[in-house]
Amino acid sequence: MTIVGQALTELICSECGVHYPFAATTWRCACGGPLDIPIAPNFRPEALAGRQPGLWRYREALPAIPATLEVSLGEPMTPLVPARPGSGLTYKLDFLMPSGSYKDRGTTVVVSTLRHLGAARIVEDSSGNAGASMAAYCSAASIPCEIYAPADASPGKTRQVRCHGARLVLVDGTREDVALAAQATVSTGAVYASHAWSPLFLMGTATLAYELWEQMGGQVPDNIIVPAGSGTLVLGAYRGFDLLRRSGVTDRMPRIFAVQATGCAPLYHAEQLGSPTVEGFDYPIADTVAEGIRIRRPARGRQILSALRETGGAAVAVSEEEIRTGWADLLGRGLFAEPTSAVVAAGAGRLLRAGRIAGGERTVAVLSGHGLKSTALSV
């Protein structure tokens, strides 16, 4: 049987360019930089004919593993719902993924590949959604899983982790402390499968672009607005549309706008300082209801900033009041998103008012997580 997909043969450091043989246990370069998988531009629209809707229909752009080892929970092509008339804005409901967040795009690819490679134990660190997603897919794959999360993570998300049978380890301290605790398990033989570091995860989030291209009749939007913490949606969208362009499917890229809360906005502050990285400077930190994007130093910060710059997009910081207003606006349209998702509604409003995007343009804002996961806000 012919296995369709991208061959996993090497990893390349995005910082220093060093090459490594592909291995499940290699998660970071010796220099500390994140690793990437070279992706061949072989997206073929004609290959989609006759395939069922869903994420794994894009096999040519995903890892080459046997279909029998795919760990799928039936990831749908998530719907597009228009916002208010005249805004040109459409919401993509990625909170309708099986575990209730867009993280399933990346997790199905990570767990499927690690299952193929024989991983015996998987560890992830997460503020909530990535951990819940990993717990769900590891349960489906019958792979033991450990999730490290902040002690103050939303109970709805930690309950979901426990219900899927994963071992939950709550860590006091910062989000960085949580990551360090999870990374320490590598010495015990676990596969550290962090969504923030894994290039496999980005291959999954890139499917957002392929879906939008199909849903928009073979066109790409003018603008994409996404919440940004670790930046896996920013980079997924960028890499997906770039693959479509390199494959000759489209000749343009949408502008990508990354929305953060003012309480934790490293990408925004880096742009204001003209810095190509999120390292080397301090910025104000405060609590935010958008807990899912409260990441002080995203591991792929340099790549995220580069993607925003190359597409003509930007990082946008929105206040707590704007987030609450955006959340209420979504509720008024029948959309129950968690506060972390509501930042895109706030960001879209700000961009429209400032004239950064126009009502005549096609703009897609991604709602990343379901409102049932978080009770940080109430009506």
Side-chain angles (χ1 to χ4, degrees):
M1 180 181 66
T2 301
I3 299 176
V4 177
Q6 300 280 337
L8 303 177
T9 58
E10 65 176 343
L11 296 163
I12 303 174
C13 178
S14 64
E15 296 287 339
C16 70
V18 168
H19 290 232
Y20 294 85
F22 181 87
T25 53
T26 305
W27 64 273
R28 183 173 63 182
C29 179
C31 79
L35 300 169
D36 290 323
I37 298 170
I39 305 297
N42 62 353
F43 188 94
R44 296 186 297 112
E46 65 273 14
L48 301 175
R51 290 182 182 171
Q52 293 297 311
L55 186 147
W56 283 95
R57 69 191 269 103
Y58 308 114
R59 288 188 178 89
E60 285 76 12
L62 297 174
I65 63 174
T68 54
L69 293 180
E70 292 171 5
V71 184
S72 174
L73 298 177
E75 304 77 26
M77 181 178 286
T78 59
L80 295 173
V81 175
R84 61 183 180 275
S87 67
L89 178 65
T90 299
Y91 290 115
K92 186 158 175 62
L93 309 190
D94 259 28
F95 60 50
L96 296 180
M97 281 288 171
S99 79
S101 87
Y102 87 92
K103 293 294 200 317
D104 293 350
R105 291 187 182 276
T107 306
T108 182
V109 176
V110 171
V111 175
S112 296
T113 305
L114 294 182
R115 181 189 189 191
H116 173 55
L117 297 174
R121 178 169 147 244
I122 294 175
V123 173
E124 162 77 294
D125 59 270
S126 164
S127 60
N129 281 336
S133 179
M134 184 65 74
Y137 282 81
C138 282
S139 176
S142 299
I143 299 175
C145 174
E146 296 170 20
I147 305 298
Y148 285 70
D152 61 352
S154 289
K157 298 174 184 177
T158 56
R159 185 179 305 114
Q160 191 176 5
V161 169
R162 288 192 175 102
C163 284
H164 285 301
R167 177 174 175 256
L168 177 65
V169 181
L170 297 177
V171 178
D172 291 317
T174 67
R175 182 63 179 81
E176 289 73 21
D177 293 328
V178 176
L180 289 172
Q183 291 163 13
T185 65
V186 173
S187 62
T188 68
V191 175
Y192 179 53
S194 165
H195 65 286
W197 290 90
S198 173
L200 292 169
F201 195 90
L202 296 180
M203 292 177 77
T205 56
T207 61
L208 175 80
Y210 316 145
E211 279 189 19
L212 285 171
W213 172 80
E214 282 203 85
Q215 289 174 305
M216 302 183 82
Q219 302 292 319
V220 302
D222 297 302
N223 309 294
I224 297 286
I225 304 176
V226 298
S230 294
T232 53
L233 260 180
V234 174
L235 291 175
Y238 174 81
R239 294 181 182 199
F241 286 115
D242 182 56
L243 181 64
L244 292 175
R245 182 175 60 177
R246 290 189 296 121
S247 298
V249 175
T250 181
D251 60 359
R252 55 188 296 274
M253 295 278 287
R255 294 187 296 170
I256 302 176
F257 293 92
V259 189
Q260 302 195 288
T262 54
C264 187
L267 300 171
Y268 172 78
H269 286 287
E271 282 197 337
Q272 297 305 299
L273 293 169
S275 173
T277 176
V278 294
E279 304 296 334
F281 64 88
D282 293 322
Y283 63 92
I285 295 287
D287 288 336
T288 174
V289 294
E291 60 171 0
I293 52 174
R294 195 171 55 198
I295 305 295
R296 286 181 171 86
R297 304 289 182 193
R300 295 181 179 271
R302 186 184 295 273
Q303 292 180 308
I304 300 166
L305 290 165
S306 176
L308 299 179
R309 183 174 61 252
E310 288 181 25
T311 64
V316 181
V318 294
S319 69
E320 296 300 289
E321 181 180 356
E322 287 176 298
I323 295 171
R324 291 174 183 273
T325 300
W327 182 72
D329 182 67
L330 290 171
L331 288 177
R333 300 179 191 286
L335 301 173
F336 190 26
E338 66 173 319
T340 297
S341 287
V343 301
V344 300
R350 174 173 285 203
L351 290 165
L352 283 163
R353 289 190 299 272
R356 298 288 300 278
I357 60 176
E361 296 176 332
R362 296 168 300 174
T363 300
V364 176
V366 182
L367 297 181
S368 56
H370 203 286
L372 292 174
K373 285 174 165 285
S374 175
T375 55
L377 292 178
S378 60
V379 293

